Amino acid sequence: MKLSEIKHSQSVIITKILGYGSFRKRISEMGFVKGKKVKVIKHAPFNGAIEFKILNYNVSLRKSEADLIEVVPINEFTEPSNGNYEGVIDLNINPVNQSERTRIINIALVGNPNCGKTTLFNYISGSKERVGNYSGVTVEIKKATFKTRGYTFNFYDLPGTYSLTAYSKEEIFVREFIYEQTPDIVINVLDATNLERNLFLTTQLIDMDLRIVAALNMFDELEKNNMVFKYRVLSKLLGIPFMPTIGSKGIGLDALIEKVIEIFEGKEKDARHIHINYGKDLEEAIKNIREKIKENKPITDKISSRFLAIKLLEKDKQILDLLEHYPNFADIQRTTAREIKKIEVLFNDDSETAITGAKYGFISGALKETFYDPNQEKKTNSEKIDNILTHKYLAFPFFLIILFIMFYTTFNLGKYPMNWIDKGVLALSNLVSTIMDDGIFKNLLVNGIISGAGSILVFLPNIIILFFFISVLEGTGYMARAAFIMDKIMHRFGLHGRSFIPLIMGFGCNVPAILATRTMRNRSDRILTMLIIPFMSCSARLPVYILIISAFFEKYQAFYLVGIYLTGIVFAFITAQILNKVVFKNKETPFVMELPAYRLPAVRNVVYQMWDKTQHYLKKIGSIILVGVIIMWALEYFPRETSKTATFEDKISEVQKNVNISNELKAEYTLGIKQQIESDRLVNSYIGRLGQIIEPVMQPLGFDWKMSVALLAGLPAKEIIISSMGVLYQTNKEGNTVNLQDKLKNETHKTGNRTGQKVFTGPVPLAFLVFILIYFPCIGVVATIKNESGSWKWALFSILYTTTLAWIAAFMVNTVGRLIM
């Protein structure tokens, strides 16, 4: 029978994996091999993906993928003779004291996603790398250097990976780093509560003949759940020291560093080189291929010939590419083909699956005497929580409620500190105005820098609150559940369920969200996801949303904010559907995704993430935004005179000379004429002229030239829209954000047939929001799309498509809105 036919809460034994290619490779490495017990947990909403429990962790598959796994009831399964535990092969190689040649230790941290590797890296190194409880948080190599105990440590935090095949970019990164950089020691970080799955990667590191220290991370959870692990016994068997650690609290890390030094100095007694014994047939095949590889030495100086032989048996194309320049490459190919054929006849299975099964057979045997879990048949706390959060009918409403709470709190809680900062900006502006003499520098400082940068700074509390929620959702493990819940919907639009994680990350910043697409196997999936990420409302657009919604929508403000975010998601899905039908055809990538255990995120990690993102926001204010503000101020400030200036000044002179009016009226008339001078000067300033060139294009949307210029200024970074409006709409000393909202409400057209009419009237504010949501991604996003896709083609497409769509959407909102109103 098929796995997809098994009812909820039933357990069965896997007998065969059908299918081929990337699905078969990934599913095997995740533990879906012959003889393993798997339990059906639940279906996602909308008859989407199915959640299974295997090797004591939860993973989701689509029904179409579960159709490719054959199973039998537990009482009908007969243990096969192949793939049993064969122990290890000792190499009797004495450890080397490397401290005699150098005092620098290069260390690579390698581990599965969700094992706490980056948290451990942060604690050891004092770094503040991003930490999240889902696959693919670390999408590039991170380095930290520090000195202790007389050594200089270079720590490299490698991407989280389940194995060392050429399945995904993160796996290729890890493998290439290891055999190109040849680290002195690899710290293999393991989730102590999920050893059977985590040790699969360890077996591959052993195949590479590396010096390894295993960090048993989250060891407190193992003890809390009454699990028993005789790690010292396993240390002696594998020749790898196992060190208990609690990365989130920094416990056990000093001992881990000490153990690294002992191995580096050749003093660790248990550390030794071994080979895993995969059984007579596989070992003979490995030996025959190794002999051919070792006839020429160039590549085996860096990469273990045994690892290369095993990968050839697994039909790894990248290894073939590495060996293709060998003089005896044809012999290697012939020998490999012969051994693969022999293995597949003996095992009645694909050679890659045979090796994976042998690895899991070894792991099962090694853990049989060293590990005991009394909770295997009990429901975990995560499964109890998932009974609600991923319930077939309740999951989606809960997801929407979580989003609503996030935006409601961002909007309503943030307005209090927002007002405090706003008053502080106004007080600073008034203070500077009082103590400085009139002149160009005062104008730059008050109406340029303080008004422009202050109008951005005032939204910092809202940004911090949003970052807090995203950090908590990442840290708890809910992000993976969101992908599980949304996979069916996304699949209908041609998107992979994994796309949902980068899309959610896009609410924080589009750039790291695009980098996170590296975790996706299929290139078409990656590019498609990159192209729709700009529709996710990043934190840079949030200040603009809050400004416009606060000014023009007095009721249901949280609903408007949620609505604009959901509108971006709708445009993303529609775009995905169009591109799938026109550009990315006939692609299908398996949805195999771990659902990690729920964990309470460490306060330290949440604070680190919030501070890291806030720091990035403040740096933008102090760099690119400040430059943008000064440029906008200069374009608005010059030229100081127009053809009408002299006429206006003559009028002022006439008023002052008129003896028939009181001094109060003189002051009032003079102020009115000065406002006319300022209005005329602004229209004829450099930025006014630029705005009037753009205005005819934007006029059908209801936008005046100031709005058009602000949009143009937002190309480097969307926050500049606010600071530009702070410069363009300020009057005299009124440059603060609260007054900016009032100014927007009262702004009128100064030229044309709409002179005297309010600018932000009817549907115009909503059209303005829609345009900002969709148009031109910031320059950083465009550059990232170019780098990640490897072509300017997709970056330029993103610019043209989003800007054209923004104009059309805003035009429809304005036109339909006016008809309704």
Side-chain angles (χ1 to χ4, degrees):
M1 71 181 84
K2 297 176 181 177
L3 183 57
S4 58
E5 299 170 351
I6 306 303
K7 296 179 180 179
H8 292 182
S9 301
Q10 287 190 342
S11 297
V12 289
I13 301 292
I14 297 170
T15 56
K16 193 170 186 179
I17 306 294
L18 306 175
Y20 57 91
S22 60
F23 168 75
R24 189 183 180 98
K25 181 187 292 286
R26 174 51 81 221
I27 205 77
S28 298
E29 291 173 348
M30 295 290 281
F32 285 82
V33 293
K34 187 174 181 179
K36 291 299 177 186
K37 184 173 75 171
V38 59
K39 182 180 181 181
V40 181
I41 303 298
K42 68 165 66 68
H43 284 77
F46 318 112
N47 290 320
I50 308 171
E51 181 181 354
F52 300 98
K53 185 171 186 176
I54 188 170
L55 301 183
N56 202 36
Y57 79 103
N58 291 17
V59 64
S60 62
L61 304 174
R62 294 188 184 121
K63 181 180 180 300
S64 59
E65 293 154 1
D67 282 339
L68 299 175
I69 301 173
E70 293 185 354
V71 296
V72 296
I74 294 175
N75 58 358
E76 294 181 16
F77 179 73
T78 305
E79 187 74 28
S81 57
N82 288 323
N84 287 335
Y85 175 68
E86 299 282 350
V88 300
I89 303 168
D90 275 302
L91 301 185
N92 297 318
I93 299 174
N94 294 323
V96 178
N97 183 359
Q98 287 186 280
S99 65
E100 294 174 354
R101 62 177 181 82
T102 179
R103 303 297 289 180
I104 298 173
I105 307 178
N106 296 310
I107 299 171
L109 271 87
V110 180
N112 285 191
N114 312 311
C115 69
K117 177 175 55 61
T118 302
T119 305
L120 187 143
F121 173 81
N122 291 344
Y123 238 109
I124 287 180
S125 64
S127 181
K128 298 174 184 176
E129 291 304 331
R130 180 184 180 85
V131 180
N133 192 14
Y134 58 89
S135 175
V137 172
T138 311
V139 292
E140 57 187 341
I141 293 171
K142 307 289 186 182
K143 180 183 178 183
T145 300
F146 65 94
K147 294 182 179 181
T148 185
R149 297 167 175 83
Y151 288 95
T152 298
F153 288 83
N154 292 319
F155 265 86
Y156 298 89
D157 179 23
L158 305 188
T161 177
Y162 292 108
S163 78
L164 297 178
T165 60
Y167 176 81
S168 67
K169 271 187 172 285
E170 64 236 302
E171 293 174 351
I172 295 171
F173 279 3
V174 172
R175 196 162 81 178
E176 288 184 347
F177 179 88
I178 289 173
Y179 59 64
E180 288 177 4
Q181 302 299 322
T182 58
D184 299 305
I185 292 169
V186 170
I187 294 181
N188 180 201
V189 185
L190 306 170
D191 178 352
T193 65
N194 199 355
L195 287 168
E196 192 166 5
R197 205 278 318 285
N198 277 240
L199 284 169
F200 182 82
L201 178 60
T202 309
T203 63
Q204 294 183 318
L205 295 172
I206 291 171
D207 290 339
M208 294 186 81
D209 285 340
L210 302 169
R211 297 206 294 179
I212 306 165
V213 179
L216 286 170
N217 206 25
M218 297 179 267
F219 198 76
D220 54 334
E221 292 187 24
L222 179 144
E223 293 178 324
K224 181 181 175 182
N225 293 318
N226 298 316
M227 298 178 185
V228 177
F229 181 36
K230 301 175 184 177
Y231 57 88
R232 291 187 179 87
V233 176
L234 194 60
S235 294
K236 292 182 183 296
L237 173 69
L238 298 182
I240 298 172
F242 283 80
M243 305 298 296
T245 63
I246 307 172
S248 60
K249 298 176 182 177
I251 296 173
L253 302 188
D254 287 339
L256 181 67
I257 294 296
E258 288 288 354
K259 189 60 66 175
V260 167
I261 293 172
E262 285 181 20
I263 290 182
F264 190 72
E265 294 177 346
K267 296 177 180 177
E268 166 56 40
K269 296 177 181 178
D270 289 337
R272 68 190 197 283
H273 287 283
I274 63 141
H275 286 163
I276 293 170
N277 190 340
Y278 293 121
K280 179 184 174 183
D281 298 323
L282 284 173
E283 285 297 334
E284 185 179 344
I286 293 168
K287 177 188 172 186
N288 291 337
I289 298 172
R290 281 186 75 193
E291 287 175 353
K292 291 294 178 183
I293 293 172
K294 288 196 291 185
E295 287 179 10
N296 298 275
K297 288 256 179 189
I299 210 169
T300 55
D301 291 339
K302 285 190 171 184
I303 312 174
S304 160
S305 59
R306 179 178 175 86
F307 178 77
L308 293 172
I310 292 170
K311 287 299 165 189
L312 287 175
L313 280 175
E314 292 178 342
K315 306 173 185 176
D316 192 306
K317 291 181 180 178
Q318 196 189 42
I319 296 300
L320 282 171
D321 293 340
L322 285 173
L323 298 174
E324 66 180 352
H325 298 299
Y326 265 41
N328 66 332
F329 180 62
D331 281 349
I332 294 172
Q333 279 186 305
R334 281 193 294 271
T335 303
T336 301
R338 185 182 70 243
E339 296 301 330
I340 286 175
K341 185 176 180 180
K342 184 171 70 175
I343 290 298
E344 291 182 344
V345 170
L346 287 169
F347 284 78
N348 191 29
D349 210 340
D350 182 86
S351 60
E352 183 179 8
T353 306
I355 291 174
T356 303
K359 284 181 181 292
Y360 275 113
F362 170 80
I363 293 166
S364 296
L367 291 178
K368 196 168 286 184
E369 299 299 325
T370 58
F371 181 74
Y372 171 68
D373 181 6
N375 308 303
Q376 282 188 338
E377 300 304 320
K378 294 180 182 178
K379 253 190 177 180
T380 64
N381 289 332
S382 291
E383 288 170 0
K384 292 173 183 176
I385 295 171
D386 273 342
N387 284 341
I388 298 173
L389 294 185
T390 61
H391 187 272
K392 190 172 183 179
Y393 302 111
L394 299 177
F396 197 68
F398 265 107
F399 175 63
L400 293 179
I401 289 170
I402 288 170
L403 286 182
F404 177 79
I405 291 171
M406 180 168 72
F407 294 128
Y408 182 85
T409 307
T410 298
F411 200 99
N412 287 275
L413 186 62
K415 68 183 179 183
Y416 298 105
M418 182 180 104
N419 288 332
W420 302 335
I421 295 174
D422 189 67
K423 289 175 182 177
V425 171
L426 179 59
L428 178 62
S429 179
N430 290 336
L431 177 64
V432 173
S433 296
T434 302
I435 64 177
M436 288 186 70
D437 295 329
D438 290 340
I440 184 171
F441 185 65
K442 175 183 175 180
N443 197 293
L444 168 62
L445 200 57
V446 175
N447 295 329
I449 295 173
I450 295 177
S451 175
S455 60
I456 296 290
L457 189 64
V458 78
F459 293 103
L460 182 62
N462 305 92
I463 302 297
I464 291 174
I465 293 169
L466 181 65
F467 287 161
F468 168 77
F469 276 104
I470 291 176
S471 299
V472 169
L473 291 177
E474 289 175 353
T476 57
Y478 184 75
M479 285 292 203
R481 270 68 182 189
F484 174 70
I485 293 164
M486 294 295 295
D487 177 64
K488 184 69 173 182
I489 294 174
M490 300 190 75
H491 194 51
R492 285 180 178 172
F493 287 94
L495 289 165
H496 193 275
R498 275 184 177 269
S499 300
F500 194 70
I501 288 172
L503 292 178
I504 289 290
M505 288 176 65
F507 289 144
C509 179
N510 289 172
V511 172
I514 292 169
L515 293 174
T517 62
R518 292 179 183 177
T519 62
M520 303 177 72
R521 166 77 169 121
N522 186 285
R523 175 174 166 78
S524 295
D525 282 326
R526 289 189 68 224
I527 293 176
L528 178 58
T529 306
M530 282 182 216
L531 295 178
I532 65 173
I533 281 173
F535 290 106
M536 301 299 106
S537 293
C538 64
S539 58
R541 294 174 214 172
L542 182 61
V544 193
Y545 296 161
I546 292 174
L547 172 68
I548 300 300
I549 292 172
S550 298
F552 300 102
F553 303 98
E554 295 180 1
K555 296 180 179 179
Y556 312 117
Q557 292 178 335
F559 283 103
Y560 277 105
L561 190 60
V562 172
I564 199 72
Y565 275 75
L566 291 177
T567 300
I569 294 172
V570 169
F571 274 113
F573 283 0
I574 292 172
T575 298
Q577 186 79 304
I578 293 168
L579 291 177
N580 264 308
K581 290 184 177 179
V582 176
V583 183
F584 304 108
K585 300 177 181 178
N586 302 320
K587 66 176 185 64
E588 180 71 18
T589 306
F591 181 69
V592 183
M593 185 170 185
E594 180 183 357
L595 299 176
Y598 284 105
R599 291 191 172 98
L600 199 63
V603 175
R604 176 190 176 98
N605 291 336
V606 173
V607 171
Y608 270 173
Q609 288 186 53
M610 287 173 61
W611 170 242
D612 183 58
K613 295 166 185 173
T614 303
Q615 198 176 33
H616 177 70
Y617 185 75
L618 292 172
K619 283 179 181 177
K620 285 177 76 177
I621 293 176
S623 55
I624 186 170
I625 293 173
L626 183 60
V627 171
V629 164
I630 293 172
I631 292 171
M632 289 295 297
W633 169 85
L635 292 173
E636 181 270 340
Y637 189 76
F638 297 104
R640 297 303 296 162
E641 295 184 353
T642 72
S643 59
K644 297 180 182 180
T645 303
T647 305
F648 284 125
E649 288 177 348
D650 289 342
K651 285 184 180 181
I652 292 174
S653 181
E654 290 174 9
V655 169
Q656 295 297 327
K657 291 176 182 178
N658 194 328
V659 295
N660 297 319
I661 57 176
S662 66
N663 289 334
E664 288 80 7
L665 283 174
K666 283 182 182 180
E668 184 180 336
Y669 291 155
T670 300
L671 179 61
I673 295 169
K674 284 183 177 179
Q675 288 178 340
Q676 291 179 41
I677 291 174
E678 184 62 21
S679 177
D680 175 65
R681 192 199 62 75
L682 187 59
V683 169
N684 290 281
S685 66
Y686 294 127
I687 202 151
R689 296 172 193 176
L690 178 63
Q692 289 167 64
I693 293 171
I694 305 170
E695 189 175 23
V697 178
M698 309 303 282
Q699 204 169 31
L701 314 182
F703 302 172
D704 70 345
W705 69 268
K706 292 182 183 180
M707 297 167 71
S708 305
V709 168
L711 291 169
L712 190 63
L715 299 187
K718 294 296 182 284
E719 298 99 330
I720 298 179
I721 294 173
I722 293 284
S723 58
S724 301
M725 295 176 87
V727 172
L728 292 169
Y729 289 99
Q730 50 85 15
T731 57
N732 298 330
K733 296 179 182 179
E734 296 179 338
N736 62 84
T737 305
V738 173
N739 283 323
L740 177 58
Q741 292 172 344
D742 292 337
K743 181 62 179 170
L744 294 180
K745 291 178 184 178
N746 299 318
E747 181 69 11
T748 58
H749 290 280
K750 304 295 189 298
T751 58
N753 57 6
R754 293 185 290 175
T755 301
Q757 296 179 17
K758 287 189 175 181
V759 174
F760 288 90
T761 184
V764 172
L766 193 57
F768 192 56
L769 284 175
V770 170
F771 195 92
I772 290 167
L773 164 70
I774 304 172
Y775 91 114
F776 196 108
C778 73
I779 290 171
V781 171
V782 173
T784 308
I785 291 175
K786 184 265 174 186
N787 291 336
E788 292 300 303
S789 66
S791 170
W792 274 110
K793 175 179 70 173
W794 296 115
L796 293 173
F797 171 82
S798 181
I799 292 170
L800 295 173
Y801 176 75
T802 56
T803 306
T804 304
L805 183 61
W807 194 96
I808 294 170
F811 175 77
M812 292 179 65
V813 169
N814 187 48
T815 304
V816 174
R818 289 189 181 281
L819 289 173
I820 293 172
M821 292 179 179

